[in-house]
């Protein structure tokens, strides 16, 4: 299979990949019901700060979001597109919360690159991590972190999947909400998108022979 950029030390996820069920299924090549909500890679709370000028918006007619930069220009415009926010699921100062994945192998990054496809490009950014609180670890994924648990700390370099498809496909000014995705769409997304992708990835040889016995 084609190989994209070399593996990064850290990847910030802000959409459907926040769900351990989605991430585990993709990386293992099978529905890992035995793991429950425990992610198979290191996963720690993080956020993109407002001053960096990003917006997490729904993609039209899809259940997943796009991360759009303030420098994104419409095809018919020479000026940046304004990124209005409503602040539904992020903190009061407009930060975009998600998770920082670390210890990803080259093979795992290739799987995620394939899954994200041409709509996204893996781009270098920086995120803020809370100074640690041992409660925020791989075995305790909490999508309801209050402001006291997410203090502003040093910025960590990583990569993120940034929207690179036409901006007209994105609902600018709207917020994508993780809790709504989990409640309304997660099971459907696993059945209709994630699992079919793992079968195709298996056929393309992305998992080698390690996951074939679990199909």
């Amino acid at each position: 299979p084609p190989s994209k950029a070399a593996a990064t030390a850290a990847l910030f996820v802000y959409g459907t990949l926040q769900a351990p069920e989605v991430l585990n299924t993709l990386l293992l090549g099978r529905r890992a019901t035995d793991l429950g909500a425990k992610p198979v890679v290191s996963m720690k709370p993080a956020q993109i700060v407002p001053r960096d000028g990003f917006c997490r918006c729904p993609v039209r007619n899809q259940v997943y979001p796009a991360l759009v930069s303030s420098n994104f220009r419409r095809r018919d415009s020479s000026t940046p597109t304004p990124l209005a926010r409503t602040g539904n699921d992020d903190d009061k100062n407009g930060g975009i919360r998600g998770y920082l994945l670390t210890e990803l192998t080259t093979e795992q990054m290739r799987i995620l690159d394939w899954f994200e496809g041409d709509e996204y490009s893996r781009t270098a950014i920086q995120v803020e991590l809370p100074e640690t609180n041992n409660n925020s670890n791989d075995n305790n994924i909490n999508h309801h972190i209050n402001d006291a648990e997410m203090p502003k700390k040093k910025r960590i370099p990583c990569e993120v999947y940034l929207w690179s498809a036409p901006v007209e496909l994105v609902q600018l000014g709207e917020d994508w909400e993780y809790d709504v995705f989990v409640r309304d769409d997660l099971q459907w997304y696993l059945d209709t998108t994630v699992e079919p992708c793992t079968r195709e990835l298996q056929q393309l040889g992305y998992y080698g022979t390690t996951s074939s016995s679990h199909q």
Side-chain angles (χ1 to χ4, degrees), residues 34-109:
D34 54 313
L35 292 176
K38 181 181 178 181
V40 296
V41 295
S42 175
M43 192 173 190
K44 299 183 183 300
Q47 71 173 1
I48 300 175
V49 296
R51 63 180 175 270
D52 289 341
F54 291 95
C55 180
R56 172 172 52 191
C57 306
V59 176
R60 295 185 188 280
N61 303 314
Q62 303 294 341
V63 300
Y64 53 84
L67 185 70
V68 181
S69 167
S70 59
N71 293 323
F72 204 119
R73 290 173 168 79
R74 292 182 182 274
R75 287 178 295 180
D76 59 353
S77 174
S78 61
T79 58
T81 299
L83 302 180
R85 296 192 49 79
T86 58
N88 290 330
D89 71 325
D90 295 316
D91 61 0
K92 293 178 182 177
N93 64 10
I96 297 173
R97 290 182 175 175
Y99 284 89
L100 186 68
L101 310 183
T102 58
E103 303 173 7
L104 288 161
T105 66
T106 302
E107 290 74 19
Q108 289 171 333
M109 285 305 310

Side-chain angles (χ1 to χ4, degrees), residues 16-30:
T16 63
L17 291 178
Q18 293 181 89
E21 299 90 337
V22 172
L23 189 65
N24 291 348
T25 300
L26 280 172
L27 296 184
L28 295 174
R30 60 186 174 89

Side-chain angles (χ1 to χ4, degrees), residues 2-15:
S3 176
K4 292 194 176 183
T8 180
L11 178 72
F12 179 75
V13 295
Y14 56 87

Side-chain angles (χ1 to χ4, degrees), residues 35 42 53 56 64-65 70 74 79-80 94 117-118 121 135-136 138 158 165 169 172-173 181 185 203:
L35 292 176
S42 175
R56 172 172 52 191
Y64 53 84
S70 59
R74 292 182 182 274
T79 58
D118 295 335
S121 58
N135 291 330
S136 298
D138 298 349
C158 62
L169 299 177
L172 295 176
F181 165 73
D185 301 311
Q203 293 173 352

